Amino acid sequence: DAGVTQSPTHLIKTRGQQVTLRCSPKSGHDTVSWYQQALGQGPQFIFQYYEEEERQRGNFPDRFSGHQFPNYSSELNVNALLLGDSALYLCASSGVGGTNEKLFFGSGTQLSVL
Amino acid sequence: AQTVTQSQPEMSVQEAETVTLSCTYDTSESDYYLFWYKQPPSRQMILVIRQEAYKQQNATENRFSVNFQKAAKSFSLKISDSQLGDAAMYFCAHKEGGYNKLIFGAGTRLAVHP
């Protein structure tokens, strides 16, 4: 049983560009959350998707957007990249509409903005 | 605002010894979950242990146990018989509400010396 998978593992972009990160949840999970982990800090909640809708959002600008597909996989899009967007982006999935407290994390996508 | 504070940026322990990692949090809710996650160099966040706030009994998972002091809003992690594989970043996290939005602390880097 595959866990949470994220792609790509590493990405290098320049300021002003746009990026798309991808996440496939653990089998049987229907809810996907995205977190940003800056160097030396704990993860920060970006948003959560359930039934193809954004259900909760953290304190992130509109440059951060997402999507969830009918197969529950998800994308995180970041527009107009800033140097400060350089971070590890973690995807986490859970079941039962996100009410189950057991979160499973992927290994993340390391984004570097030059 | 919800906050989670880990006051120990780094800790070290000798193999087979016991170490305690500290965490305090702030919440106005009476029902919530607390977690300790381990993040090894592979970057994947791994759930170590969780505590439900309404349960007075401290959670235990093999060599890992917590000291949950609800009134003091304190949630420390004790690792007994430390092993080299325990070396990692450890994050304390707090969840309240119906969905899996976690608030993480800044982390404690644990070194285990042979």
Side-chain angles (χ1 to χ4, degrees):
Chain A
D1 175 28
V4 179
T5 58
Q6 292 186 243
S7 63
T9 56
H10 296 83
L11 204 51
I12 299 174
K13 292 286 188 178
T14 56
R15 281 180 298 175
Q17 285 190 313
Q18 179 265 343
V19 68
T20 297
L21 310 181
R22 295 176 175 82
C23 172
S24 292
K26 180 178 171 61
S27 178
H29 285 185
D30 57 8
T31 305
V32 173
S33 301
W34 287 91
Y35 289 80
Q36 180 196 65
Q37 185 178 14
L39 188 65
Q41 298 181 23
Q44 283 194 293
F45 178 81
I46 303 175
F47 44 51
Q48 182 182 92
Y49 275 83
Y50 171 66
E51 292 190 338
E52 303 179 47
E53 296 285 335
E54 181 183 295
R55 182 163 64 181
Q56 274 190 303
R57 189 178 183 92
N59 188 25
F60 281 80
D62 292 343
R63 298 187 297 109
F64 289 76
S65 64
H67 188 78
Q68 185 179 35
F69 299 93
N71 66 352
Y72 307 121
S73 66
S74 177
E75 288 182 349
L76 164 64
N77 301 291
V78 187
N79 294 322
L81 283 167
L82 303 174
L83 295 180
D85 295 331
S86 295
L88 178 67
Y89 289 85
L90 294 165
C91 171
S93 72
S94 56
V96 200
T99 58
N100 186 315
E101 76 284 359
K102 291 185 180 180
L103 269 182
F104 289 80
F105 283 84
S107 295
T109 294
Q110 184 66 54
L111 173 64
S112 298
V113 182
L114 305 178
Chain B
Q2 303 172 38
T3 58
V4 176
T5 303
Q6 294 180 248
S7 58
Q8 306 154 317
E10 296 183 355
M11 292 284 285
S12 64
V13 64
Q14 293 294 127
E15 200 175 3
E17 296 296 309
T18 296
V19 64
T20 298
L21 309 183
S22 302
C23 172
T24 59
Y25 59 94
D26 188 25
T27 182
S28 58
E29 301 292 323
S30 59
D31 188 19
Y32 49 89
Y33 286 89
L34 295 164
F35 306 86
W36 278 98
Y37 278 88
K38 171 185 178 181
Q39 188 177 42
S42 67
R43 309 179 313 193
Q44 185 178 24
M45 300 286 280
I46 301 166
L47 179 63
V48 174
I49 197 165
R50 74 179 190 275
Q51 174 80 42
E52 298 162 271
Y54 69 87
K55 289 187 176 180
Q56 292 186 338
Q57 186 173 6
N58 289 324
T60 299
E61 289 286 343
N62 301 314
R63 298 182 295 108
F64 300 87
S65 61
V66 299
N67 183 4
F68 174 47
Q69 301 290 328
K70 190 173 183 178
K73 296 180 181 176
S74 171
F75 183 60
S76 61
L77 174 70
K78 185 171 81 171
I79 306 174
S80 304
D81 185 25
S82 296
Q83 300 175 359
L84 295 177
D86 294 333
M89 285 292 294
Y90 285 82
F91 292 94
C92 177
H94 166 255
K95 173 210 161 190
E96 64 183 46
Y99 305 126
N100 280 324
K101 175 185 176 181
L102 298 186
I103 307 299
F104 286 87
T108 296
R109 182 175 300 281
L110 177 66
V112 181
H113 301 291

